[in-house]
Amino acid sequence: MQNGRQSWCFADSFTGALNNWWNTAGQRPLSPDAMHPAHTSILLRLKRHCAVLCLALGVAGVVQAAGAASTPGASSTATAPYRLRIVGGLAGISQYIRQEEPFWTKELSRLSAGRFQAEIVPFDRAGVPGAEMLRLLQLGVVPFGTTLMSSFTAQYPEYTAPDLAGLNPDIATLKTTLAAFRPYLEKALREQHGVEALAIYVYPAQVVFCKKPLRTLSELTGRRVRVSSASQADFVGALGGVPVLTSFSQIVPSLTAGNTECAITGTMSGNILGLPSITTHVHTLPVTWGLAVFGANQAAWAALPADLRTLLQRELPRLEAAIWAESERETADGLACNRGAPTCSAGTKGSMVVVPVSPQDERSRQEILESTVLPRWVQRCGARCAQVWNQTIGPARGLQAAPAK
């Protein structure tokens, strides 16, 4: 017990939240013998992930956002701060360390004169696979959490439209693309998933690192290149390269073992991984960036005190803007550090050759986007995605998508 409240854990609430969700569809309460075996294994896996998440957040005394302020109990609750538990973005990178974590652990309390406080854990250290975060938000198992939009690829490929490979050669273009798509995304998350999108974050540019000299992107022909998404694979394949889907943690082992010759990753994350010591060239064209949605379960959001909602509606856009600025700075700083420039501030100085975008590279980017990346995304996604594209991003970028054949 803490402040007169019983200890609570995401895993403890899992069955109740799941039954609530199930019942809204007019189904009977779930029991193990009523579930299809395939569903049982999925649900048990989700519950195990939630249990790990509880440990990461420090289970004892967790106060649910959806009812903390109104729970009767000991008199000390009258002055106890209202506490939130947040699942944040990727651990160990500047956006989290310099922006997300300080906002929730320090700024929220300062802005509210101590009335509201929060704790945050990065989602990749919380034991929950990114692909399942949207469902956990929908169920209310995670009331407030961050999910990478690239994790939507398998189930909701339409949500990945703003960051297709080759679509955004600079962050200004990415802002234009997202602005065109954001109203649709926010409406879809709200109406189809019961999730309120409170902010959209961006990570630094994902660029190509190679072990051998590289003058233009066309020289990727025949090289095995680490990719992290289907869209990146389409882009590399169209250049004549061999895409190799590889997790972030396996980038260095794969390059060292010779399984890959190049890798697409962030300019600074590549530096932190030590790529300047095992690769020689880095190309400056952003193949993709990396978008993430910070969202709230609608019921949890509605249950917050009105003044806390007002505060977050005012301050989260400022946090979003700071994270975008941080991403732009880190993209440039990563390149500076990889080449060993005096301006390197946050990474380790290397001696890599930084390859600028040539006119040929820019022509290739545009041609591959139009002839390969966009059509294949529509094929995977379906006719509905072509329609969504042509109503949102297409007009803003002057690029229409043909219906899937």
Side-chain angles (χ1 to χ4, degrees), residues 124-329:
D124 54 331
R125 291 184 181 172
V128 179
E132 293 171 351
M133 181 60 77
L134 182 59
R135 174 53 58 87
L136 295 177
L137 280 166
Q138 181 179 6
L139 296 176
V141 176
V142 176
F144 302 91
T146 307
T147 179
L148 294 177
M149 288 172 63
S150 60
S151 70
F152 300 149
T153 299
Q155 291 184 295
Y156 310 104
E158 65 269 31
Y159 299 160
T160 65
D163 197 24
L164 293 180
L167 178 59
N168 303 295
D170 52 60
I171 201 163
T173 305
L174 176 60
K175 289 178 180 179
T176 300
T177 301
L178 181 60
F181 189 74
R182 188 169 190 157
Y184 167 80
L185 177 64
E186 292 177 345
K187 184 173 185 287
L189 290 175
R190 183 182 303 114
E191 295 181 356
Q192 298 177 30
H193 306 279
V195 171
E196 197 71 29
L198 302 177
I200 298 179
Y201 306 147
V202 65
Y203 295 105
Q206 305 285 299
V207 299
V208 179
F209 291 76
C210 281
K211 295 166 67 175
K212 295 180 180 179
L214 182 74
R215 291 171 297 180
T216 67
L217 290 175
S218 63
E219 293 182 355
L220 290 177
T221 299
R223 301 194 199 188
R224 294 173 61 83
V225 183
R226 179 265 177 174
V227 299
S228 60
S229 69
S231 176
Q232 288 184 359
D234 291 338
F235 191 85
V236 168
L239 287 165
V242 180
V244 181
L245 189 64
T246 309
S247 67
F248 181 77
S249 63
Q250 290 301 306
I251 290 177
V252 170
S254 180
L255 286 167
T256 303
N259 296 328
T260 51
E261 302 159 83
C262 303
I264 297 175
T265 191
T267 60
M268 183 58 78
S269 58
N271 181 275
I272 293 171
L273 281 175
L275 293 191
S277 65
I278 56 177
T279 61
T280 61
H281 289 63
V282 56
H283 199 285
T284 59
L285 177 75
V287 179
T288 57
W289 293 80
L291 296 170
V293 177
F294 174 67
N297 172 272
Q298 276 189 318
W301 175 248
L304 293 180
D307 53 345
L308 176 53
R309 285 200 308 273
T310 299
L311 186 155
L312 293 177
Q313 287 170 333
R314 182 184 71 240
E315 296 298 330
L316 284 174
R318 296 176 182 175
L319 174 62
E320 177 181 312
I323 287 175
W324 279 72
E326 185 76 40
S327 176
E328 187 170 19
R329 284 193 301 270

Side-chain angles (χ1 to χ4, degrees), residues 96-114:
Y96 182 84
I97 295 170
R98 297 180 184 176
Q99 304 296 337
E100 280 187 89
E101 188 176 36
F103 174 80
W104 292 108
T105 61
K106 297 177 182 178
E107 282 297 293
L108 180 62
S109 179
R110 183 187 67 80
L111 292 167
S112 65

Side-chain angles (χ1 to χ4, degrees), residues 13-23 30 35 43 135 139 141:
S13 72
F14 181 85
T15 302
L18 183 60
N19 270 318
N20 289 340
W21 169 71
W22 190 260
N23 289 337
L30 292 173
M35 292 187 226
L43 298 176
R135 174 53 58 87
L139 296 176
V141 176

